[in-house]
Amino acid sequence: MSDATRPTDDHVPGDDEFDPIEVFPEADEMDLRPGADNCYKCSTCDTNCPVAEVDDEFPGPKFQGPEQWRLKRQSDHDVDDSIMKCSNCMRCDHACPSEVPLSQMHNSARGEYVDERMSKRSLEYWRNRLLSNYRLMAHLGSKVPRLTNFVMGLTLTSVFNEKVLGITSEREFPEFATETFREWWRARGGSDASRERAQAAREERGESGAEKRVAYFHGCYSNYNTPEVGKALVRVYEHFGYEVVVPEQRCSGTPMFANGMLDDARRAADTNVSELAAAIEDGADVIASCTSCSMSLRQEYPELFDIDGVDDVSSNTWEGLEYLRVHEDLEGELEGTRADVPNLAYHVPCHARNQGLDGQAIEVLTTIDGVEAQDVGESCSGISGTYGWKEEHYETSMQIGEEMFEHMERADGDTGLTECPTCAMQMEHGTGYEIKHPLEVLEAALVPNSPGTERAATDGGIDETVGPNREGQDEPFGAN
Amino acid sequence: MAITDDVLVIGGGLAGATAALAAAERGVQVRLLTYKQSTLRHASGLIDVLGYAPSGKGPLADPFDTLETLPEGHPYERVGSDAVREALLFFDAIVGDAYAGEHTDANALVPTSSGAIKPTARYPAGVAPGLASDPRETLLVGFETLPEFDAPLAAAHLEETGAPFEARGVTLSFPGIRRDDAKVTRYAHLLDRDETVDVGRGETSARAALAAIVRDQLEGESRVGFPPILGDDNHATVRRDLEERLGVDVFEVPSGPPSLPGMRLEDRLYDALDDTGVRVTTGVPVVDYEGADNGRSGASSTKRIEHVLVDRKGRDVPYRADEYVLATGGLVGKGVRSERERVFEPIFDCHVEASPDRYDWFDGDAFGDHPFARFGVTVDRELRPLDTEGDLEFANLRAAGAVLSGYDFAAEKSGSGVSLATGFVAGDRAGSEVRG
């Protein structure tokens, strides 16, 4: 009789009940063992890692995830410092054929590394903390946007940043908008004004019945740097008859996960989950315009934090175009509309790809007359949020991005298109192109007299909810 | 609003991509949904049709001789040998001159990284100069940091199997790679971009450095075999460049996962999908479906799939189409799953034939005839899944590739051929059904 014919895991012959054994009874953190056990070492994740492809000093996601997890069970093994080379692009999650939660393992390992092995007095720690708490810097900087933009543009500032802090001087700091999205929102009348506009739009559309409401998670970047994206979202949603509310919010946590600052992320998540869960309670769905923010709320929060309402927020969060596509006849609405936009070279952010959003922008936007958009392929932009800002990772980041730059230059368009603000930064940095967000193109097609323009007169009135931009109307794109 | 197309293909491997391309040929709007990257990344890149008969007889000189004699229920028996030929022609048109072998029905004999010989119907152009039927003397080159290809061992094994040529293997240090566990993509990237490497005597380009150390080893051989790391996007250029520098033919020896030749094939297929206007959605799983009776009774009462539900991180989003193709893979691809007491197809719960006692699922002999290797859905000759009674599960669902029952691809060396043939037939029928 071969060994295989006799069950070794059944204590009572014929009894198939499976009794899991408590391996680590003292454990009080998440047990990642089932994930580690799922890994059969096919190395598919390693072939997807953009860092390992350009830097053979990086041992790759298979090591950072399941292998390191097992090593750490031995008391004499610390988290390897190579974990800080992982850019948190999360491409390995999509690669794994065996359901290993790689990015969750990386996030946990990185958190542990920073907690236990990185000196809290080191410049690296404070540089990373500064970068990952971008919102705090942006909050202060945007109080005096012109002064901040001036100071950040000074050579002296960039020399200081690189030499002292280790923030690369190769990149130009993103400019702060002279009016943040939230300032604009308040001046426009907040959710009361939005409710009226939505009401008028529903009447215009002949929709009777229930109110439609969304809570906008704008994140830091569209608040402080690109408020035109947030404004586009508001105008497009109001066009479809949605009342927009803008709850109190903090950073989604994406840059904090990537820097192992899990305590900071947890504090931000506490605020976000309680505010967004309350909005959901009031009948709203949560909408994000940044695909890393939506990724964080949907996947990383429930993976990393046990907060009341976290699953509710996860399952009721959507990306801006995705929600309209599923809840409205978006393509029908766009049929026959026109937007005069330059040819677009579209890059899918890695985090969008993991949410099933990869083909979406092109599928939706090319139903608009006058819109030509081309996908530049599956390459990673390489910046991965704060990663490409670090002096020691700048070269790696640009080597990864090289393929995307080449593909963008080969595409017909010379304006870029993407959902992710830091991918946009990298696209602009590598090609010099102006970069747009899909919602801005949607706005140009659907909302007359508003595309990308900053006209307080229009914003103050209710007339911006009249019909979409039908054929024949000539609307310049990005007229600002 | 459901996201709507004419044909929805679930699964993005060889079968799914072929099905989507074949459906699109019919002029309908096709979407391909794939959860994880396909197992093509584990694949050798070879297109086997049939290397061994189910009885174990082989290697077969001509797979088509045996195709006619396969037992009822084998996927090739279901679609017929003409469909296999048609699918191969379809494949040849997609891959163009990146593949060879279309000049004959006979199997080619390809040396693999263990020094074994594999019978296969189509092979990458970069593998062609290495065929075992070619009597030229051969140098195999392995690298210290790539232990999966032991060149001296492979050469010895090749001679042992009676290959009609002398083979010699050497192990070198790959210029520009320091680390023991650098990924295969790192090697490919260095050569693709011909990056500058430091070889101790100053800097030079990766390809020049590689050619220089291999040239020193040549003892009159007219061909050199490498592990399959000779570039990714620019593979053909890398190979040509090395051939010019060495003055001999250069080929790759297919090896285990992860595999650049499989990844290159995946890239070709996805480029073709893009060119054909197939919409591709990745990263999210199909988890369920909603169906409806068509209101009729009797034989025509078969259920239809109205839409499938895709889990977008905790929220189910409906995707609708007229016709569906299930190409989710087998036990490895997780298109067929098992629990301790059952084997099942997780999306539509199509019937999968398996003993309720899991100790009947395998043979005691590791290389024996394992029932699990044949697990999958049973289909009619139109590739529509059948229930326990032998009736159609759904009127508008077809299945293709490793999710099908009735064949052992590992033993038969028939994996790619079955995926191509059934993917082609399922996609073509689905597309023509929509056209009416």
Side-chain angles (χ1 to χ4, degrees):
Chain A
M1 193 166 83
S2 91
D3 292 346
T5 53
R6 196 64 259 149
T8 53
D9 50 357
D10 285 9
H11 304 295
V12 184
D15 175 11
D16 270 1
E17 282 304 302
F18 177 63
D19 289 319
I21 307 157
E22 210 177 22
V23 186
F24 306 112
E26 76 285 359
D28 54 358
E29 77 252 31
M30 258 162 297
D31 182 12
L32 296 171
R33 184 187 188 94
D37 286 355
N38 271 349
C39 174
Y40 52 74
K41 296 187 172 279
C42 69
S43 303
T44 303
C45 55
D46 285 344
T47 65
N48 279 269
C49 176
V51 178
E53 185 179 328
V54 300
D55 178 4
D56 51 309
E57 290 296 305
F58 183 62
K62 178 161 59 82
F63 171 78
Q64 300 299 356
E67 288 175 1
Q68 172 140 272
W69 186 88
R70 280 191 208 102
L71 276 176
K72 279 190 306 177
R73 300 303 103 190
Q74 311 293 324
S75 51
D76 57 344
H77 275 88
D78 288 328
V79 182
D80 192 73
D81 56 8
S82 63
I83 188 70
M84 298 311 283
K85 285 189 171 205
C86 161
S87 72
N88 203 36
C89 70
M90 301 166 95
R91 285 170 92 89
C92 44
D93 276 356
H94 167 47
C96 179
S98 193
E99 300 166 343
V100 180
L102 287 148
S103 68
Q104 183 183 15
M105 297 183 123
H106 300 161
N107 275 329
S108 315
R110 200 163 26 230
E112 201 178 316
Y113 175 82
V114 171
D115 261 3
E116 291 172 8
R117 298 204 46 212
M118 196 185 268
S119 161
K120 307 299 169 291
R121 289 197 298 262
S122 68
L123 265 175
E124 185 186 6
Y125 175 80
W126 286 102
R127 190 268 322 260
N128 289 359
R129 214 155 167 205
L130 192 69
L131 283 172
S132 57
N133 283 278
Y134 176 73
R135 180 178 170 273
L136 204 64
M137 291 198 295
H139 179 69
L140 298 172
S142 67
K143 299 232 183 260
V144 280
R146 288 185 185 84
L147 176 64
T148 312
N149 292 338
F150 172 73
V151 173
M152 294 315 277
L154 291 176
T155 314
L156 185 67
T157 310
S158 82
V159 168
F160 174 82
N161 279 342
E162 176 152 306
K163 298 289 175 239
V164 180
L165 290 175
I167 296 172
T168 181
S169 63
E170 299 286 340
R171 296 184 190 276
E172 279 173 39
F173 267 85
E175 284 201 9
F176 290 113
T178 47
E179 182 190 40
T180 67
F181 169 77
R182 290 187 82 93
E183 285 163 0
W184 171 83
W185 174 252
R186 271 193 297 277
R188 187 174 181 262
S191 50
D192 289 341
S194 185
R195 193 176 312 116
E196 281 173 36
R197 285 189 167 86
Q199 174 82 33
R202 284 200 302 277
E203 278 166 24
E204 176 88 19
R205 300 169 66 80
E207 283 181 24
S208 54
E211 287 182 11
K212 302 192 284 189
R213 183 179 299 156
V214 294
Y216 179 34
F217 190 85
H218 48 66
C220 308
Y221 208 76
S222 69
N223 186 38
Y224 296 113
N225 301 92
T226 54
E228 59 277 11
V229 173
K231 294 178 197 174
L233 181 134
V234 167
R235 292 185 186 120
V236 166
Y237 270 77
E238 286 175 354
H239 165 82
F240 282 99
Y242 287 88
E243 174 194 343
V244 181
V245 296
V246 184
E248 284 302 315
Q249 54 192 272
R250 296 177 59 183
C251 168
S252 71
T254 302
M256 296 156 181
F257 303 140
N259 285 286
M261 306 287 172
L262 293 188
D263 292 341
D264 289 349
R266 165 76 198 217
R267 276 189 289 276
D270 278 334
T271 305
N272 292 336
V273 170
S274 81
E275 291 288 335
L276 296 175
I280 293 166
E281 185 76 10
D282 288 342
D285 287 310
V286 178
I287 308 297
S289 50
C290 159
T291 43
S292 290
C293 290
S294 63
M295 173 59 98
S296 174
L297 300 179
R298 284 170 143 176
Q299 180 176 321
E300 284 160 318
Y301 277 17
E303 275 182 356
L304 296 170
F305 304 130
D306 185 14
I307 305 176
D308 259 358
V310 77
D311 291 325
D312 242 8
V313 170
S314 167
S315 58
N316 289 290
T317 295
W318 302 74
E319 188 273 335
L321 247 68
E322 177 191 25
Y323 186 81
L324 289 176
R325 200 174 188 202
V326 174
H327 291 84
E328 302 290 332
D329 181 8
L330 181 57
E331 279 155 272
E333 187 89 11
L334 290 172
E335 207 69 47
T337 61
R338 179 165 190 89
D340 289 307
V341 303
N343 287 350
L344 298 161
Y346 174 66
H347 163 74
V348 197
C350 299
H351 291 180
R353 186 180 295 281
N354 281 15
Q355 294 169 71
L357 303 173
D358 46 354
Q360 174 185 266
I362 292 201
E363 286 171 24
V364 169
L365 297 182
T366 49
T367 57
I368 303 167
D369 288 336
V371 176
E372 293 291 337
Q374 202 176 336
D375 193 325
V376 300
E378 57 164 5
S379 40
C380 173
S381 79
I383 190 168
S384 285
T386 59
Y387 189 82
W389 279 94
K390 297 173 185 167
E391 196 258 329
E392 72 274 23
H393 292 152
Y394 175 75
E395 276 305 320
T396 304
S397 153
M398 292 303 282
Q399 275 178 295
I400 296 170
E402 207 173 322
E403 192 178 322
M404 181 192 70
F405 304 145
E406 283 172 11
H407 289 181
M408 282 180 73
E409 271 150 21
R410 229 177 291 154
D412 293 337
D414 45 18
T415 298
L417 181 74
T418 194
E419 287 92 346
C420 167
T422 57
C423 288
M425 244 182 239
Q426 178 86 332
M427 291 162 80
E428 187 182 357
H429 183 61
T431 61
Y433 291 2
E434 183 193 6
I435 316 295
K436 288 289 172 189
H437 189 287
L439 281 165
E440 294 178 84
V441 183
L442 214 55
E443 182 195 26
L446 291 174
V447 187
N449 306 323
S450 68
T453 56
E454 301 274 358
R455 275 172 294 175
T458 318
D459 292 342
I462 212 156
D463 57 302
E464 64 174 69
T465 52
V466 289
N469 209 3
R470 290 290 163 200
E471 193 88 64
Q473 291 175 346
D474 202 10
E475 280 307 323
F477 180 74
N480 48 344
Chain B
M1 293 283 298
I3 293 170
T4 303
D5 299 274
D6 296 326
V7 174
L8 186 66
V9 177
I10 308 165
L14 184 54
T18 307
L21 289 165
E25 285 275 296
R26 295 281 176 178
V28 299
Q29 180 61 58
V30 182
R31 179 182 300 275
L32 183 144
L33 263 167
T34 164
Y35 179 22
K36 300 293 187 176
Q37 279 180 333
S38 75
T39 47
L40 275 170
R41 295 193 162 235
H42 306 193
S44 63
L46 302 175
I47 302 292
D48 310 332
V49 168
L50 194 68
Y52 295 83
S55 64
K57 189 177 145 253
L60 302 171
D62 184 338
F64 287 93
D65 288 344
T66 309
L67 280 189
E68 309 290 346
T69 66
L70 293 171
E72 184 168 340
H74 192 289
Y76 285 142
E77 178 274 329
R78 300 279 89 181
V79 298
S81 61
D82 285 348
V84 180
R85 285 180 192 280
E86 224 181 318
L88 281 172
L89 283 174
F90 189 66
F91 175 80
D92 294 338
I94 294 166
V95 294
D97 57 10
Y99 269 75
E102 73 283 5
H103 60 288
T104 171
D105 273 358
N107 273 327
L109 299 175
V110 176
T112 67
S113 60
S114 64
I117 305 255
K118 193 180 187 206
T120 193
R122 299 286 187 274
Y123 40 92
V127 165
L131 293 191
S133 50
D134 182 337
R136 287 180 294 164
E137 283 180 28
T138 303
L139 174 68
L140 297 180
V141 176
F143 300 103
E144 287 156 1
T145 44
L146 274 177
E148 57 265 45
F149 181 54
D150 183 330
L153 187 70
H157 195 185
L158 260 178
E159 295 210 287
E160 200 72 8
T161 58
F165 51 83
E166 279 183 35
R168 195 166 58 84
V170 294
T171 303
L172 306 176
S173 165
F174 195 95
I177 298 272
R178 285 182 303 270
R179 213 186 154 87
D180 286 346
D181 62 349
K183 312 306 164 208
V184 289
T185 46
R186 177 64 194 141
Y187 293 82
H189 185 94
L190 267 176
L191 294 171
D192 250 358
R193 305 214 155 249
D194 206 8
E195 282 183 4
T196 303
V197 294
D198 189 347
V199 289
R201 308 178 297 268
E203 292 188 336
T204 176
S205 81
R207 294 178 203 161
L210 179 59
I213 59 164
V214 173
R215 197 182 302 112
D216 291 345
Q217 301 292 332
L218 276 173
E219 291 176 6
E221 291 93 347
S222 54
R223 54 178 175 170
V224 180
F226 290 92
I229 44 125
L230 302 181
D232 184 4
D233 291 344
N234 302 326
H235 166 60
T237 311
V238 170
R239 196 166 68 87
R240 211 167 39 238
D241 194 354
L242 290 175
E243 285 186 333
E244 276 171 21
R245 289 173 189 275
L246 289 168
V248 297
D249 283 354
V250 165
F251 64 94
E252 288 187 332
V253 182
S255 72
S259 160
L260 261 308
M263 290 158 63
R264 293 181 204 129
L265 175 57
E266 188 180 41
D267 287 347
R268 289 233 156 216
L269 293 168
Y270 278 77
D271 286 348
L273 290 168
D274 191 33
D275 293 344
T276 322
V278 172
R279 296 170 157 188
V280 177
T281 299
T282 64
V284 282
V286 176
V287 289
D288 206 351
Y289 73 97
E290 282 175 20
D293 289 322
N294 62 8
R296 278 173 268 164
S297 60
S300 57
S301 69
T302 310
K303 252 186 3 179
R304 288 184 69 82
I305 299 160
E306 283 295 308
H307 58 251
V308 295
L309 294 170
V310 172
D311 176 4
R312 293 250 189 106
K313 306 276 172 213
R315 161 69 68 166
D316 290 347
V317 173
Y319 280 71
R320 213 200 74 77
D322 292 337
E323 297 290 325
Y324 297 81
V325 177
L326 180 70
T328 41
L331 288 162
V332 178
K334 292 190 163 46
V336 176
R337 304 192 75 134
S338 64
E339 286 167 357
R340 290 166 77 83
E341 288 174 354
R342 66 176 186 134
V343 182
F344 60 105
E345 180 280 298
I347 298 176
F348 301 104
D349 202 18
C350 290
H351 170 61
V352 176
E353 187 74 40
S355 162
D357 181 352
R358 67 177 181 277
Y359 291 96
D360 293 340
W361 294 351
F362 54 85
D363 191 271
D365 174 6
F367 293 101
D369 192 10
H370 297 292
F372 73 75
R374 294 187 167 76
F375 284 169
V377 301
T378 310
V379 291
D380 70 0
R381 291 198 159 81
E382 290 273 300
L383 298 178
R384 290 173 298 194
L386 302 173
D387 63 17
T388 41
E389 308 293 317
D391 296 327
L392 294 188
E393 291 267 15
F394 301 94
N396 56 346
L397 177 68
R398 286 174 178 76
V403 74
L404 295 173
S405 67
Y407 73 118
D408 179 345
F409 72 83
E412 297 170 8
K413 309 288 176 227
S414 61
S416 302
V418 165
S419 290
L420 271 180
T422 56
F424 175 76
V425 169
D428 182 66
R429 299 290 185 282
S432 54
E433 196 78 34
V434 174
R435 298 287 291 179

